[in-house]
Amino acid sequence: MPKPSPVLMSRELLESVYQEARASYPAECCGWLAGPTSEQQATRIRTCINAQESGDHPTQAGRGVDTAYVIGGADLLALNRELDGDEPAKVIYHSHYNGRAYFSETDHQVATSPWGDGPVYPVQQLVVGIGPDRVEEAALFAWSDEDEGFIEIARFDGAEI
C-alpha cells in the first residue's frame, strides 16, 4: 500500500511555522495549517497558545512547555469547528526545542484515538526541530492503517530563522 500523500504547503507557509517556532523557543509552539476542502493543500496558518503551562497535558501533565504542548480552550474549539468548514485544518504542527523533527511516543499517544483505531483528527502532523540558533529541520507525518500508526511522509530543510 502506498504512503499517504503529503499535504502541500508553500515554502512561505512553512517558514511562517518556523517563525512561530522561533518566537516560542524554547517552549514548543503549536497550531494548525488549513486549506480549501477541494485541494490537498494548506494555504494559511492558525497559531495557538500552548496551554501546557497550566499542566493540562492528557498524558504528560508534569512536563513543561519546553517538552510538551496542548492546544486547549478556545483554540481547541476553533479547531473542531473548522474541521467541518470550507477551509478545514489539514496539518497540526508543533516544535521540538532539541533541533530534531521526529514523532515521539507522547506525540503518537496524543494524536491517536484513545480506542487505538486511528488518529484523533483527520489531519497530518508537522514537527519542527528548532535549536538555539536556527530551525534545523521539519518532518510531516500521516496516519497509516497498514502500520497502525503515524509514519513520516515528507522531510523539509530548516532555515536560518
Side-chain angles (χ1 to χ4, degrees):
M1 181 175 256
K3 288 197 300 189
S5 296
V7 169
L8 302 174
M9 62 191 86
S10 68
R11 182 67 186 187
E12 180 179 67
L13 185 62
L14 183 62
E15 287 187 2
S16 293
V17 176
Y18 289 178
Q19 290 168 355
E20 177 67 16
R22 169 58 58 218
S24 298
Y25 182 86
E28 291 193 8
C29 71
C30 57
W32 66 82
L33 304 176
T37 55
S38 60
E39 300 175 27
Q40 180 70 1
Q41 182 173 1
T43 56
R44 66 179 173 83
I45 185 173
R46 167 63 152 77
T47 61
C48 296
I49 294 170
N50 183 350
Q52 177 57 22
E53 193 155 2
S54 62
D56 288 338
H57 198 281
T59 64
Q60 301 291 332
R63 290 170 73 173
V65 294
D66 59 333
T67 60
Y69 79 96
V70 172
I71 297 174
D75 291 328
L76 191 58
L77 288 173
L79 172 65
N80 282 285
R81 278 191 212 105
E82 196 169 289
L83 288 171
D84 293 327
D86 293 337
E87 289 194 0
K90 297 190 176 206
V91 175
I92 290 176
Y93 69 83
H94 74 280
S95 59
H96 288 167
Y97 80 98
N98 62 8
R100 296 181 14 234
Y102 60 96
F103 209 63
S104 71
E105 183 57 37
T106 299
D107 295 338
H108 191 275
Q109 284 178 317
V110 172
T112 304
S113 159
W115 296 276
D117 59 351
V120 172
Y121 295 108
V123 299
Q124 294 178 4
Q125 302 278 335
L126 178 68
V127 181
V128 176
I130 186 167
D133 302 317
R134 69 183 311 270
V135 175
E136 299 293 338
E137 61 185 1
L140 188 63
F141 301 86
W143 181 264
S144 165
D145 288 331
E146 185 177 317
D147 294 293
E148 297 180 348
F150 286 89
I151 60 168
E152 185 176 316
I153 59 170
R155 188 156 280 273
F156 306 95
D157 292 334
E160 299 294 327
I161 294 177

